Amino acid sequence: MKTFRYLFAAATAIILVSFKKPDPLPLYKNKSASIESRVNDLLKRMTLDEKVMQLSQYTLGLNDNENNINDLSKGFDPHAGSLIYFGSDPLFRNAVQKKAVEETRLGIPILFGFDIIHGCKTLYPIPLAVGCSWNTELNREACSNSAKETYLSGINWTFSPMVDVARDPRWGRVAEGYGEDPYTGAQFGASAVRGYQGQSLSAPNNIAACLKHYLAYGLVEGGRDYSFTDVSQQLLQDTYLVSFKAGVKAGASTVMSSFNDISGTPSTINKYLLTDILKTQWGFKGFVVADWDAIAQLMNQGVAKDPEQAGERALNAGLDMDMLSDIYRKYIPDLLKQKKITMATVDEAVRRVLTLKFKLGLFDNPYTPVVAESQRYLQPETKKTANQLAAESMVLLKNKDNILPISGSIKSLAIIGPMVNDSTDLMGSWTGRANAKDVESINSALRGEFSGKLQLNYAHGCDFDGKDDSGFDVAINAAKNSDEVVLFLGEKNSWSGENTSRSTIALPEIQERLVAAIKKTGKPIIIVLINGRPLALKNIEPDADAILEAWQPGTVGATAITGILSGRINPSGKLDITFPLTTGQIPVYYDMHPRARPYLGNYQDIPTEPLYWFGYGLSYTTYNYSDVKLSSTKIKKTEHLIAKVEVDNTGKIDGKEAVLWYIAHPEATISRPRKELKFFEKKLIKKGEKIVYTFDLDPERDLSYPDASGKQILESGDYYLMVGSQKVKFEVTD
Ligand code: BGC
């Protein structure tokens, strides 16, 4: 009887349960609903605390960024909007994500971000080098490959690309961007965004990009990091906004505000930049993240009396996510009570953050697929792209009597310098999750390249810096016992990147003295430079027969260097940044404005010309440019001008030639730069073959320029088109 009663009760319970209406799936969890409706639904369900947490970013793991020292953060709040993840273990990352998705009330996934600047485990050349390749498609491919390694490490968002125009090589962060020209920065930045984000953010292996640092960070006074910048409205429009606008157009998901104070209003609270231009004028739908602790630093910058006021100013300016300072979490509720900010502003910021999480598919697929490490990183195709990009990024600056490539008739080579046995310094700053043990040294690459062909006589010579010249004698002997000498010199990777300003950009004296000592042997000298900024080479250039700027070339860059030395690779890089003759020449960049007295105003003590201009770079082959052909010498503002130049490879080997097209408008209402790059294209030209390069000039896009308010002006009058050493005139009429 008892058993029967139990059975009866159990059956009734089952019937009742099955009649009870199941809880409907909340709209925000419905995969087939639109993102907009899912975000709106979720927002309605969120408490203020939950909202504020979405606007807050913290760290997770051992912080290995020495500029942002923090304690090891093992703990985390699963309600956090985002975590900067100092790790590459997808299992650990998934366990953290599980807490957010399964153990919080609404199950909002965490957005994992990290600085993957030029590669995750496989490092590509630094971005400053990449710009010298003039190969944006290769950059897209590189960023797509590094997105894959990043994604498989559990990171869904990189703080890259940096598209700051940088014209002061004292600033260590020149290494992180694409050089001095806004158009180049725009093209490479947009290709990086396309590479990271792919066709769809929610597809596996794609990650969200972040354009940084918005804005004019490259202009910090004296090249001192984190400093003040004074920038006119005209310069903002002409130079500094350009690459960001292109990145937004390419679909960048996020933007990072910069640390610098811009003419009195730090970017962190610059409503004009964050809201009026970025969000309103350009229609940017993503979110803006602060730079590291930047909201708290507003107090150092003298624009906030306390954290609360700092938070108020940042949020009201349009800064959506607080990186690290924890000010939004602590003060937004009070600021709302005091009516210093509105709920609509908070909601708008949260909406932007949630939208990206939905777009990335994090609500529907919050976990990272776990793939064996051997298939995750350093894959052959990834290394191949990295190697090609390194090769195309290197710039041959000098090649007296064609001493390079190294001739088959020489028997021995001295290989000297602090860089020969080094791996770490080939990596550059921001090493992602890479290890020096995966980076091939120059010594090992040289032995692979020349084994059986040349005797290699190694000597360390000297360290990167310091006064110790006790290695000079051994180096001199190695040089004396060899037919030619290659000196591998440059900067340690900790000398460029963030917080690495230098007051002089020449090589340290000890390295210059080594060059002079070797010169005395009378042996031909080839200098290979590994560095993260343009160097002032005045003291060593005269002693060198050849100079190869190899930059910091990344994991497989060493074999690109040795390939160029041996002639297996024909160099094709051209500078994306000018090399001043001395530090005192700074600023010097190709698109300076014309002077009132072009023939006067020169320095009395040094030449006024830099050593190597933007766009400069040699090849092992020779190219002949035909006369430029224009579709017309007179066009209406609404008509295109088609310009063609035929480039003939007249040398003995195949080569890749980047053709750079510039315009000049010397009778403008507001003075224009002496010349402005408007288009570039790089193509392979086989020996003995000719290729036509075409520039389809659209006056609206290529000849108009902004006034200080951003309004585009297109003027009639005389213009010049420049390519190679040619300059042709054409007229634009109404
Ligand atoms: C740098 C950013 C970087 C951030 C997070 C800051 O110090 O300026 O470029 O993305 O740290 O690591």
Side-chain angles (χ1 to χ4, degrees):
M1 189 60 192
K2 217 174 181 183
T3 319
F4 175 76
R5 238 188 283 141
Y6 278 137
L7 281 178
F8 180 77
T12 319
I14 289 167
I15 290 164
L16 282 177
V17 167
S18 50
F19 275 107
K20 190 174 163 250
K21 250 180 136 188
D23 273 346
L25 186 72
L27 181 60
Y28 78 93
K29 291 197 169 167
N30 180 349
K31 293 182 188 177
S32 43
S34 72
I35 289 184
E36 201 186 344
S37 59
R38 293 176 81 179
V39 171
N40 286 338
D41 178 65
L42 180 53
L43 255 179
K44 272 191 239 139
R45 297 168 191 266
M46 290 169 79
T47 63
L48 178 58
D49 285 350
E50 284 164 340
K51 288 180 182 174
V52 163
M53 282 305 287
Q54 285 305 306
L55 305 182
S56 304
Q57 185 185 53
Y58 305 94
T59 55
L60 178 69
L62 181 59
N63 176 355
D64 46 21
N65 178 349
E66 60 192 23
N67 300 305
N68 301 319
I69 293 301
N70 240 19
D71 296 335
L72 166 65
S73 54
K74 286 194 206 118
F76 63 92
D77 184 332
H79 296 92
S82 174
L83 292 173
I84 302 187
Y85 177 41
F86 290 90
S88 58
D89 176 3
L91 283 170
F92 175 61
R93 178 269 191 203
N94 285 347
V96 172
Q97 185 72 302
K98 191 162 185 260
K99 295 238 174 246
V101 172
E102 294 182 22
E103 295 176 28
T104 65
R105 195 177 71 89
L106 295 167
I108 303 176
I110 294 168
L111 177 56
F112 292 81
F114 194 62
D115 291 280
I116 300 298
I117 307 301
H118 54 111
C120 180
K121 280 275 182 200
T122 311
L123 288 181
Y124 293 82
I126 53 166
L128 185 62
V130 170
C132 300
S133 73
W134 302 98
N135 193 337
T136 51
E137 176 48 26
L138 198 55
N139 185 42
R140 188 206 56 73
E141 198 180 312
C143 292
S144 164
N145 289 348
S146 79
K148 188 172 173 192
E149 288 190 349
T150 308
Y151 171 85
L152 293 175
S153 304
I155 300 156
N156 305 94
W157 176 28
T158 176
F159 308 128
S160 166
M162 179 183 115
V163 292
D164 297 314
V165 167
R167 292 167 169 176
D168 189 337
R170 291 172 298 179
W171 188 50
R173 304 199 83 166
V174 288
E176 298 176 50
Y178 303 105
E180 72 189 30
D181 173 54
Y183 177 77
T184 311
Q187 299 307 309
F188 276 95
S191 69
V193 169
R194 287 195 287 270
Y196 291 133
Q197 299 193 164
Q199 299 285 328
S200 152
L201 276 176
S202 63
N205 302 327
N206 293 339
I207 57 174
C210 180
L211 300 168
K212 71 184 191 187
H213 306 85
Y214 188 71
L215 193 73
Y217 188 21
L219 203 59
V220 282
E221 271 183 345
R224 284 188 217 99
D225 212 354
Y226 315 121
S227 294
F228 180 82
T229 57
D230 200 1
V231 52
S232 69
Q233 288 286 338
Q234 184 63 39
L235 200 60
L236 273 189
Q237 297 292 345
D238 258 341
T239 304
Y240 290 98
L241 287 167
V242 177
S243 47
F244 286 90
K245 190 172 182 185
V248 167
K249 200 166 160 211
S253 302
T254 65
V255 168
M256 185 186 292
S257 56
S258 56
F259 287 123
N260 53 300
D261 176 340
I262 303 181
S263 310
T265 310
S267 303
T268 315
I269 53 166
N270 203 311
K271 181 169 176 296
Y272 169 70
L273 291 175
L274 301 183
T275 299
D276 302 352
I277 293 198
L278 181 66
K279 293 180 178 172
T280 310
Q281 258 185 47
W282 296 350
F284 173 65
K285 297 278 180 287
F287 70 82
V288 180
V289 61
D291 204 341
W292 190 286
D293 207 27
I295 302 183
Q297 291 161 21
L298 290 169
M299 291 175 287
N300 301 339
Q301 290 175 302
V303 290
K305 65 174 187 294
D306 53 25
E308 183 177 287
Q309 192 185 22
E312 173 197 338
R313 294 198 72 180
L315 191 81
N316 281 335
L319 193 138
D320 303 302
M321 186 181 276
D322 172 3
M323 185 185 278
L324 266 296
S325 80
D326 208 19
I327 286 178
Y328 277 6
R329 184 188 64 81
K330 286 186 184 149
Y331 298 99
I332 281 181
D334 262 2
L335 286 166
L336 277 167
K337 276 190 209 133
Q338 296 170 53
K339 299 200 171 15
K340 289 190 171 160
I341 58 173
T342 66
M343 198 61 208
T345 311
V346 175
D347 280 351
E348 174 58 19
V350 178
R351 177 174 282 114
R352 286 172 181 268
V353 173
L354 293 176
T355 300
L356 180 60
K357 292 187 177 187
F358 278 109
K359 282 191 176 167
L360 281 165
L362 287 174
F363 279 86
D364 309 325
N365 297 302
Y367 301 114
T368 298
V370 182
V371 170
E373 267 206 43
S374 58
Q375 285 158 41
R376 216 189 289 160
Y377 303 130
L378 298 156
Q379 297 301 295
E381 66 280 7
T382 308
K383 284 175 146 182
K384 194 169 159 229
T385 310
N387 188 256
Q388 194 188 336
L389 194 50
E392 293 204 20
S393 299
M394 294 179 187
V395 187
L396 183 63
L397 295 173
K398 183 172 183 183
N399 198 14
K400 198 170 135 207
D401 301 330
N402 292 328
I403 187 170
L404 281 177
I406 289 167
S407 145
S409 63
I410 73 155
K411 301 269 174 294
S412 56
L413 195 65
I415 51 170
I416 301 173
M419 202 61 85
V420 176
N421 276 324
D422 193 337
S423 290
T424 307
D425 296 302
L426 296 176
M427 297 165 80
S429 71
W430 295 107
T431 51
R433 303 261 56 99
N435 294 317
K437 70 169 177 43
D438 296 322
V439 179
E440 185 173 18
S441 73
I442 289 172
N443 200 348
S444 135
L446 281 167
R447 290 181 197 276
E449 190 84 36
F450 294 110
S451 67
K453 297 179 195 147
L454 276 183
Q455 185 191 318
L456 299 173
N457 298 323
Y458 165 68
H460 176 68
C462 64
D463 289 339
F464 287 94
D465 209 351
K467 300 228 173 309
D468 184 2
D469 57 9
S470 58
F472 278 25
D473 286 347
V474 180
I476 290 166
N477 274 335
K480 281 185 180 159
N481 293 330
S482 308
D483 297 327
E484 290 177 0
V485 181
V486 190
L487 283 165
F488 295 91
L489 307 174
E491 297 187 306
K492 292 189 75 61
N493 68 344
S494 56
W495 293 2
S496 59
E498 187 178 351
N499 191 21
T500 56
S501 306
R502 288 180 84 78
S503 70
T504 165
I505 59 163
L507 280 178
E509 201 190 335
I510 190 79
Q511 295 192 48
E512 294 196 340
R513 282 184 49 219
L514 178 66
V515 177
I518 301 294
K519 178 70 184 172
K520 288 203 186 116
T521 64
K523 295 292 163 101
I525 297 180
I526 296 154
I527 295 182
V528 175
L529 296 169
I530 316 281
N531 45 292
R533 56 160 58 75
L535 299 173
L537 301 172
K538 178 171 174 275
N539 296 341
I540 61 168
E541 185 273 339
D543 289 346
D545 294 280
I547 304 177
L548 175 67
E549 176 50 79
W551 303 112
Q552 288 152 331
T555 306
V556 285
T559 54
I561 296 175
T562 56
I564 291 180
L565 294 178
S566 73
R568 182 170 52 79
I569 296 167
N570 184 1
S572 62
K574 293 185 179 182
L575 295 177
D576 59 358
I577 191 161
T578 299
F579 274 46
L581 186 66
T582 64
T583 307
Q585 264 187 351
I586 297 169
V588 57
Y589 48 94
Y590 89 93
D591 49 349
M592 295 177 98
H593 281 245
R595 278 190 273 161
R597 294 179 169 188
Y599 42 89
L600 292 175
N602 294 328
Y603 291 119
Q604 293 188 6
D605 53 338
I606 51 163
T608 300
E609 287 283 301
L611 189 56
Y612 303 115
W613 280 113
F614 172 91
Y616 179 78
L618 304 171
S619 164
Y620 291 159
T621 188
T622 44
Y623 300 106
N624 183 43
Y625 283 48
S626 73
D627 288 346
V628 181
K629 288 203 186 78
L630 300 184
S631 55
S632 169
T633 49
K634 198 177 196 172
I635 51 162
K636 292 208 176 83
K637 285 179 177 171
T638 50
E639 286 169 355
H640 283 214
L641 178 80
I642 309 295
K644 287 184 189 295
V645 69
E646 196 175 62
V647 182
D648 189 352
N649 181 345
T650 50
K652 293 193 180 63
I653 54 169
D654 299 348
K656 282 189 170 178
E657 173 69 344
V659 169
L660 276 54
W661 299 86
Y662 301 87
I663 63 114
H665 180 32
E667 50 182 78
T669 306
I670 300 167
S671 93
R672 306 301 305 148
R674 294 186 299 193
K675 56 182 195 171
E676 295 173 78
L677 185 68
K678 291 294 170 181
F679 184 59
F680 60 82
E681 202 176 7
K682 188 179 197 180
K683 293 183 184 185
L684 171 72
I685 316 181
K686 297 223 155 122
K687 63 177 173 191
E689 288 188 0
K690 296 176 181 163
I691 290 218
V692 176
Y693 288 71
T694 305
F695 174 26
D696 178 352
L697 184 152
D698 172 359
E700 191 60 50
R701 183 192 60 204
D702 302 318
L703 302 180
S704 72
Y705 64 91
D707 68 8
S709 73
K711 194 175 123 245
Q712 289 294 125
I713 303 170
L714 176 56
E715 295 181 317
S716 52
D718 286 348
Y719 287 82
Y720 293 88
L721 183 66
M722 286 163 260
V723 66
S725 55
Q726 300 177 62
K727 182 173 183 178
V728 290
K729 189 168 159 185
F730 64 98
E731 192 189 339
V732 175
T733 60
D734 284 327

